[in-house]
């Protein structure tokens, strides 16, 4: 008997050059103990690797981020994953565009392609497994039937453990230049933007609505890391757990417009954020997403509490 299967999203857009994933981020903070505590309580797997912390998620061997020690919180680099048979084409593209190749930082073992972006940020493209999702991530909302209880008992609430890194939002001095650089050099695509204030980019080989986004500031910097969870209850449980541990500043619960994800942001010890995110829009490899330029009012959130006064302050500036 012929088995009828549902639609399976392709994991590669043929004939086009583009990175497939944000492989990991790297930044430094003044005190690794603070980072260890914050990210462990947030629900990440934190381990020590030489002189830095590696941030993972339960059930995955992947390292989504590294935290080193430095005089103040500062972005170091983002590493993007590419398919093996694309890496020579990326090297040729860098050469054609006269973007100088750099050696990796002295304390990082890498055979990737290193260069600087429009803001002077260090960027790596390296051959890595595709860690961006190949289909829309599962979102669960259980609604009790008649005669049944829907809510979990408070005493039985479980902790929240994010499934994966969802995206990184960076500050940039020039959003238009950021979009130009990351689309032309890395092969990302613009999903949506609001003038030259904020822009969201997705990968061409199937990814969330955004794997990286840029917001205008007077200096480069990291605004937030977003971590995917599977339900509103997980967002709420994560936020409550962090509140109980003293991480009482943040923003949420709300729903974004661009990307559509439900969110709660928890402020980290350095004034940036980690986001619990659920049900973000997905752009399959064979989908040409219709990009829009949205009025600022329609670009930030559909509903949620008032935005904290310093939510978009760049503490790296
Ligand atoms: Fe986000």
């Amino acid at each position: 008997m012929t088995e009828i299967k549902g639609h399976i999203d392709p994991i590669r857009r043929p004939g086009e050059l583009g990175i497939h994933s944000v492989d990991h981020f790297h930044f430094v903070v003044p005190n690794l103990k603070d980072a260890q505590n914050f990210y462990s309580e947030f629900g990440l797997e934190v381990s020590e690797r030489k002189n830095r912390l590696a941030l993972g998620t339960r059930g995955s061997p992947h390292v989504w981020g590294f935290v080193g020690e430095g005089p103040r919180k500062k972005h170091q680099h983002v590493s993007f994953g590419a398919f093996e048979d694309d890496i020579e084409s990326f090297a040729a593209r860098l050469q054609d565009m006269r973007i100088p190749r750099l050696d990796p930082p002295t304390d990082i073992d890498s055979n990737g392609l290193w260069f600087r972006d429009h803001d002077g940020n260090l960027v790596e493209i390296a051959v890595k497994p595709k860690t961006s999702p190949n289909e829309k991530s599962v979102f669960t909302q259980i609604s009790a039937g008649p005669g049944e209880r829907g809510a979990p008992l408070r005493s039985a609430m479980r902790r929240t453990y994010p499934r994966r890194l969802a995206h990184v939002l960076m500050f940039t001095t020039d959003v238009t230049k950021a979009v130009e650089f990351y689309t032309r050099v890395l092969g990302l695509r613009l999903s949506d933007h609001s003038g030259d204030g904020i822009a969201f980019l997705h990968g061409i080989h199937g990814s969330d609505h955004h794997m990286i986004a840029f917001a205008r500031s007077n200096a480069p910097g990291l605004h937030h890391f977003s971590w995917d969870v599977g339900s509103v209850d997980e967002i709420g449980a994560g936020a409550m757990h962090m509140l109980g541990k003293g991480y009482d500043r943040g923003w949420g619960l709300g729903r974004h417009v661009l990307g559509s994800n439900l969110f709660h942001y928890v402020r980290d010890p350095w004034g940036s954020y980690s986001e619990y995110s659920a049900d973000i829009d997905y752009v399959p490899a064979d989908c040409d997403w219709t990009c829009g330029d949205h009025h600022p009012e329609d670009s930030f959130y559909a509903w949620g509490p008032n935005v904290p006064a310093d939510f978009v302050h760049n503490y790296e500036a």
Side-chain angles (χ1 to χ4, degrees), residues 74-75 117-121 169-182 195-199 213-223 312 314 316-317:
K74 192 157 176 40
H75 170 64
D117 73 5
H118 65 290
D119 263 336
N121 292 313
L169 192 141
M170 311 260 307
F171 286 118
T172 178
T173 56
D174 192 321
V175 171
T176 305
K177 277 191 188 157
V179 170
E180 192 179 294
F181 188 92
Y182 281 83
D196 61 1
I198 192 161
F214 294 94
R216 189 178 53 209
S217 178
N218 58 350
L222 283 169
H223 180 264
V312 287
N314 183 357
E316 289 181 52

Side-chain angles (χ1 to χ4, degrees), residues 167 224 226 265 275:
H167 57 262
H224 74 262
S226 178
Y265 293 82
E275 176 186 20

Side-chain angles (χ1 to χ4, degrees), residues 5-313:
K5 288 187 174 159
H7 174 76
I8 297 171
D9 290 318
I11 61 159
R12 189 159 187 175
R13 178 182 286 259
E16 286 185 53
L17 186 62
I19 58 87
H20 56 58
S21 307
V22 168
D23 189 74
H24 65 269
F25 56 79
H26 189 150
F27 73 116
V28 295
V29 299
N31 187 331
L32 284 186
K33 277 237 167 330
D34 289 346
Q36 166 103 41
N37 193 57
F38 178 82
Y39 292 110
S40 302
E41 298 297 354
F42 192 83
L44 303 181
E45 300 287 303
V46 184
S47 56
E48 284 179 36
R49 298 274 176 99
K50 295 182 189 163
N51 52 349
R52 55 180 80 104
L53 301 177
L55 306 183
T57 44
R58 280 207 167 183
S60 165
H62 192 75
V63 176
W64 305 101
F66 289 98
V67 192
E69 213 158 20
R72 55 199 284 262
K73 178 230 164 194
K74 192 157 176 40
H75 170 64
Q76 298 294 292
H77 70 263
V78 175
S79 176
F80 293 88
F83 293 118
E84 188 172 8
D85 54 348
D86 278 342
I87 201 75
E88 286 309 314
S89 302
F90 275 115
R93 181 181 275 181
L94 291 172
Q95 193 165 14
D96 289 349
M97 296 180 76
R98 300 181 196 284
I99 297 168
R101 292 259 305 271
L102 305 170
D103 290 330
T106 47
D107 55 344
I108 291 176
D109 189 22
S110 155
N111 58 1
L113 309 172
W114 291 81
F115 50 97
R116 292 195 184 275
D117 73 5
H118 65 290
D119 263 336
N121 292 313
L122 202 52
V123 176
E124 181 191 28
I125 299 177
V127 175
K128 299 283 180 178
K130 186 172 186 289
T131 50
S132 60
N134 291 325
E135 57 187 14
K136 182 160 176 170
S137 297
V138 173
F139 175 72
T140 310
Q141 188 61 41
I142 297 168
S143 178
E148 295 174 357
R149 290 182 202 279
L153 290 174
R154 175 78 182 265
S155 58
M157 282 295 288
R158 283 185 300 203
R159 284 214 31 209
T160 298
Y161 299 103
R163 299 183 287 200
R164 61 178 172 86
L165 177 72
H167 57 262
V168 178
L169 192 141
M170 311 260 307
F171 286 118
T172 178
T173 56
D174 192 321
V175 171
T176 305
K177 277 191 188 157
V179 170
E180 192 179 294
F181 188 92
Y182 281 83
T183 54
R184 291 180 59 202
V185 180
L186 287 93
L188 289 158
R189 283 198 180 178
L190 184 59
S191 311
D192 285 296
H193 68 117
S194 177
D196 61 1
I198 192 161
F200 301 88
L201 296 113
H202 64 271
I204 60 171
H205 302 299
S207 86
D208 289 343
H209 173 273
H210 46 282
M211 64 168 71
I212 191 161
F214 294 94
R216 189 178 53 209
S217 178
N218 58 350
L222 283 169
H223 180 264
H224 74 262
F225 309 115
S226 178
W227 303 89
D228 178 70
V229 300
S231 68
V232 174
D233 278 332
E234 284 178 74
I235 296 178
M240 287 290 287
H241 178 82
M242 293 304 274
L243 187 64
K245 295 295 174 183
Y247 299 108
D248 56 352
R249 294 178 69 181
W251 182 44
L253 172 74
R255 187 180 184 106
H256 281 302
V257 180
L258 306 182
S260 308
N261 50 317
L262 295 148
F263 65 81
H264 183 99
Y265 293 82
V266 186
R267 195 183 199 265
D268 67 29
W270 319 283
S272 42
Y273 293 84
S274 273
E275 176 186 20
Y276 294 111
S277 164
D279 202 29
I280 193 164
D281 293 336
Y282 184 74
V283 185
D286 58 355
C287 166
D288 290 321
W289 181 266
T290 305
C291 167
D293 181 5
H294 304 263
H295 188 274
E297 189 202 4
D298 291 327
S299 68
F300 199 13
Y301 64 119
W303 53 263
N306 291 335
V307 185
D310 67 345
F311 185 71
V312 287
H313 186 80

